[in-house]
Structure formats: structure tokens, C-alpha cells
């Protein structure tokens, strides 16, 4: 018999030390993005992360304190199944002697197999724009709407009808956010378009990602983090 797949929490508990971790400090203005590494996991108790020393950590120091809300994302690059583990939590305490941050063990997890073809439901404000060297033409060939699902292969986008966007067109999908947020975009190809809501003139655009595996995985990871942070 084959090995039984790990549950989401078993997968988190088995995450190796020094795994790369991306953490967002949730503030009243905009999230502060930090990169760190995993010190260890105390099952059902706590997650221990390294307190970083780069300029982003220095700038964020005043926001890092007990009970501050955070979004944490881990990606084990040594796992052939390539899962992302993401969760919301808050800071339990700072251990300045060891330069560690202790995070409360999460109550809920999102564990996503990046290479699976199944769609992950999301709801993210985005823009679909036709790829063109002509800036005036491109400005007229764009639609704002929402990305409603995503996988490593493609996704679904719902936006208003635009006759300039057709099946097999190469486009750019851009995630929209607050002013000053980092632009997140990826090349896509429209594979189908269907009426979603005739009364409000909404179309469902079926998309495939037109990028290499690494770029697609990175894009999906960022979408998961953006979705968690809403």
C-alpha cells in the first residue's frame, strides 16, 4: 500500500527548518511584506520564524509586536509535489535574545498543490488587457473585472463585454490593488468567452497562462497571498 497523504496540518508540522517564508504585517494602511526563514514548528502550539535584518525589517520594526496580525506563506522548494502553505495568524511574542518571532499556531490552513490542474476559487480585482505595441490601441482593448478562479494552467475572469478581446488573443492579466502596491501581472491567452450575466453585460473569459512553469507558480502564489489578505 502507498503512503497515506499528509493532512494540511501534518504537512505544516513536517516543514523543514530554513524553509523560505514570506510574511505580511497587516497594518491600517497597507501590508508590509517581509522575507524570512522558518526556525521550527511546535505542533498545535507555535510557529517560530527568524527576525530578519534587512532594510525592510528595519522599517517594519515599529509594527512588529505582540498580537499584530500577519499572513504567512511557506513554500517548500524541496518538495516534489510543490505545495504552498498559507495562513492568517498573529504574533505571540518576540524572543529578542535569539532574534525569533513566535507566531500562534494557525486554526485554518490553505494548502495548495501548485502543479494540480484543479481550480482554486478566488475573488480578486483585476484587469485583462490586449497585448499590443500601440498604446492607444491597448488602452481601448482592456477590461476591468475579477479573477474568480486560478490554477497552475489558467483561470477564469469575469468582466464587461469588449468585442476587441477575442478567443486566442494574447493578453496581460494584471491584479489591481491600492495605489502603491506592487504590480502583479502575467501573460495569458483567451481560450473561451461566454455570457455570464446578459443583463449587466458581463462575460466570463476562460484563460490559460502563457508563461513558463516558474513564472506561473510565482503568479499563483502571489494570488493566494493577495486573496488571503482581502
Amino acid at each position: 500500500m502507498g503512503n497515506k497523504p499528509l493532512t494540511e496540518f501534518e504537512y505544516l508540522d513536517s516543514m523543514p527548518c530554513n524553509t523560505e517564508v514570506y510574511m505580511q504585517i497587516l497594518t491600517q494602511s497597507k501590508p508590509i511584506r517581509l522575507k524570512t526563514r522558518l526556525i521550527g514548528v511546535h505542533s498545535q502550539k507555535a510557529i517560530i520564524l527568524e527576525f530578519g535584518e534587512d532594510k525592510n525589517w528595519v522599517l517594519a520594526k515599529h509594527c512588529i509586536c505582540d498580537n499584530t496580525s500577519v499572513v504567512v506563506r511557506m513554500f517548500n522548494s524541496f518538495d516534489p509535489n510543490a505545495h504552498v502553505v498559507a495562513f492568517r495568524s498573529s504574533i505571540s511574542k518576540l524572543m529578542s535574545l535569539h532574534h525569533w518571532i513566535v507566531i500562534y499556531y494557525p486554526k485554518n490552513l490553505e494548502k495548495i498543490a501548485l502543479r494540480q490542474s484543479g481550480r482554486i476559487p478566488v475573488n480578486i480585482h483585476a484587469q485583462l488587457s490586449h497585448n499590443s505595441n500601440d498604446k492607444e490601441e491597448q488602452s481601448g482593448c482592456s477590461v476591468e473585472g475579477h479573477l474568480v478562479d486560478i490554477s497552475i494552467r489558467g483561470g477564469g475572469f469575469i468582466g464587461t463585454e469588449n468585442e476587441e478581446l477575442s478567443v486566442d488573443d494574447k493578453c496581460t492579466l494584471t491584479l489591481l490593488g491600492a495605489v502603491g502596491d506592487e504590480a502583479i501581472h502575467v501573460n495569458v491567452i483567451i481560450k473561451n468567452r461566454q455570457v455570464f450575466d446578459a443583463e449587466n453585460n458581463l462575460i466570463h473569459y476562460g484563460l490559460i497562462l502563457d508563461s513558463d512553469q516558474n513564472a506561473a507558480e510565482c503568479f499563483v502564489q502571489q494570488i493566494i497571498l493577495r486573496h488571503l489578505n482581502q
Side-chain angles (χ1 to χ4, degrees), residues 64-92:
I64 302 173
C65 55
D66 295 359
N67 297 317
T68 298
S69 296
V70 296
V71 173
V72 176
R73 181 192 62 180
M74 302 181 193
F75 176 59
N76 182 5
S77 58
F78 297 104
D79 177 11
N81 294 319
H83 288 86
V84 170
V85 172
F87 59 86
R88 286 176 176 267
S89 186
S90 58
I91 296 174
S92 170

Side-chain angles (χ1 to χ4, degrees), residues 169-183:
D169 282 355
K170 293 189 175 184
C171 299
T172 298
L173 178 66
T174 304
L175 306 188
L176 302 178
V179 175
D181 276 1
E182 178 185 0

Side-chain angles (χ1 to χ4, degrees), residues 2-222:
N3 293 330
K4 183 179 179 181
L6 296 177
T7 67
E8 286 85 350
F9 289 102
E10 288 172 339
Y11 189 84
L12 174 61
D13 293 345
S14 65
M15 194 74 70
C17 297
N18 292 320
T19 293
E20 208 167 64
V21 176
Y22 296 86
M23 181 172 72
Q24 285 192 353
I25 305 294
L26 303 182
T27 68
Q28 291 184 344
S29 52
K30 72 172 188 175
I32 300 172
R33 299 175 176 87
L34 301 170
K35 183 178 177 180
T36 183
R37 65 188 182 95
L38 179 68
I39 301 299
V41 178
H42 187 179
S43 181
Q44 302 300 317
K45 298 291 184 181
I47 312 292
I48 304 174
L49 307 177
E50 181 182 45
F51 199 109
E53 297 181 350
D54 63 29
K55 63 179 182 180
N56 293 325
W57 280 88
V58 173
L59 293 172
K61 192 172 182 179
H62 69 285
C63 296
I64 302 173
C65 55
D66 295 359
N67 297 317
T68 298
S69 296
V70 296
V71 173
V72 176
R73 181 192 62 180
M74 302 181 193
F75 176 59
N76 182 5
S77 58
F78 297 104
D79 177 11
N81 294 319
H83 288 86
V84 170
V85 172
F87 59 86
R88 286 176 176 267
S89 186
S90 58
I91 296 174
S92 170
K93 62 181 176 180
L94 306 179
M95 300 180 68
S96 53
L97 178 63
H98 301 290
H99 300 285
W100 292 349
I101 297 178
V102 181
I103 307 292
Y104 287 110
Y105 195 89
K107 295 180 180 178
N108 299 291
L109 286 179
E110 287 199 28
K111 173 173 170 273
I112 306 299
L114 290 184
R115 293 184 176 90
Q116 70 184 11
S117 58
R119 296 294 176 91
I120 304 161
V122 294
N123 183 28
I124 298 176
H125 189 202
Q127 178 175 278
L128 185 64
S129 305
H130 196 281
N131 288 347
S132 171
N133 294 326
D134 187 328
K135 290 185 178 179
E136 291 186 4
E137 180 183 341
Q138 184 172 346
S139 65
C141 297
S142 64
V143 171
E144 281 196 28
H146 287 83
L147 186 67
V148 294
D149 57 56
I150 191 67
S151 78
I152 199 63
R153 296 182 180 179
F157 174 88
I158 294 176
T160 53
E161 168 72 18
N162 189 324
E163 295 294 342
E164 301 297 325
L165 296 176
S166 304
V167 171
D168 293 331
D169 282 355
K170 293 189 175 184
C171 299
T172 298
L173 178 66
T174 304
L175 306 188
L176 302 178
V179 175
D181 276 1
E182 178 185 0
I184 300 174
H185 52 80
V186 70
N187 292 328
V188 297
I189 299 174
I190 298 175
K191 294 309 292 181
N192 60 69
R193 60 201 305 275
Q194 301 176 10
V195 175
F196 178 77
D197 183 342
E199 183 177 350
N200 293 298
N201 203 28
L202 294 179
I203 300 294
H204 181 281
Y205 297 86
L207 312 172
I208 61 170
L209 301 187
D210 187 24
S211 58
D212 60 35
Q213 184 77 17
N214 289 336
E217 289 182 3
C218 182
F219 183 71
V220 173
Q221 288 181 54
Q222 292 179 90

